[in-house]
Amino acid sequence: MANEVRSGGCVCGEVRYTTPDNPLRVTVCHCLWCQRRTGTAFGTEAVFAEHDVVFTGEKPARYRHHSDESGRWLDVEFCGRCGTNLGFTLEAVPGVRTVAAGTFDDPGWLDGVAVPLRHVYARSRRHWGDITADVEVFDQHFRR
Ligand SMILES: [Zn+2]
Ligand SMILES: [Zn+2]
């Protein structure tokens, strides 16, 4: 497994990337910004050294956001054709790039990586993302 190259990309396939095996860390971010930019309960970011992520297809489109709290920029990256969220770079932590964990060709590989996994901004965590004892759970869709 060591030094295995991992690949991923957007839904339509125009933006492709490779990363080394393993990320520096995986961060699940429950902040309001991540909720809005992903349209769901949290962002899940595999964090790599910026130069270790190599785009092999179209370059991703970018949008510069300034944090309401710090005023610092975050450049979100996404496919300009299909809109898939691909991750971001940020002024606060130079030299790293996040890769949206669900965009790997095999997102399951992150299940077993021995790197720090952290949940941050839990103050705005949405409980509708939790699988608790009192919710209905199906291995596939309930319509099946
Ligand atoms: Zn795309
Ligand atoms: Zn966030």
Side-chain angles (χ1 to χ4, degrees):
M1 297 279 281
N3 300 318
E4 192 169 332
V5 173
R6 302 291 177 168
S7 60
C10 65
V11 167
C12 79
E14 284 208 346
V15 180
R16 298 286 303 160
Y17 63 79
T18 61
T19 70
D21 191 43
N22 288 322
L24 303 170
R25 55 189 173 273
V26 176
T27 305
V28 181
C29 186
H30 300 263
C31 82
L32 295 173
W33 180 70
C34 285
Q35 289 173 6
R36 185 163 297 264
R37 73 184 177 79
T38 64
T40 186
F42 47 80
T44 307
E45 310 303 316
V47 181
F48 293 90
E50 192 168 11
H51 58 80
D52 276 347
V53 180
V54 178
F55 289 100
T56 56
E58 290 294 314
K59 278 201 182 310
R62 278 193 179 171
Y63 175 77
R64 177 157 287 189
H65 171 78
H66 286 90
S67 165
D68 311 335
E69 287 194 15
S70 69
R72 290 185 290 212
W73 59 259
L74 303 100
D75 279 344
V76 292
E77 296 176 313
F78 53 95
C79 174
R81 181 174 179 221
C82 73
T84 300
N85 158 47
L86 292 158
F88 57 86
T89 55
L90 68 171
E91 186 178 11
V93 189
V96 302
R97 161 174 273 117
T98 82
V99 174
T103 64
F104 282 99
D105 293 337
D106 173 16
W109 79 274
L110 287 167
D111 289 347
V113 296
V115 299
L117 169 66
R118 300 190 181 101
H119 286 255
V120 299
Y121 288 95
R123 68 186 186 191
S124 50
R125 173 179 162 216
R126 297 296 157 224
H127 293 274
W128 38 263
D130 297 345
I131 298 181
T132 58
D134 60 343
V135 298
E136 291 185 273
V137 179
F138 302 84
D139 279 341
Q140 297 184 48
H141 198 277
F142 67 86
R143 287 202 189 91
R144 284 181 62 95

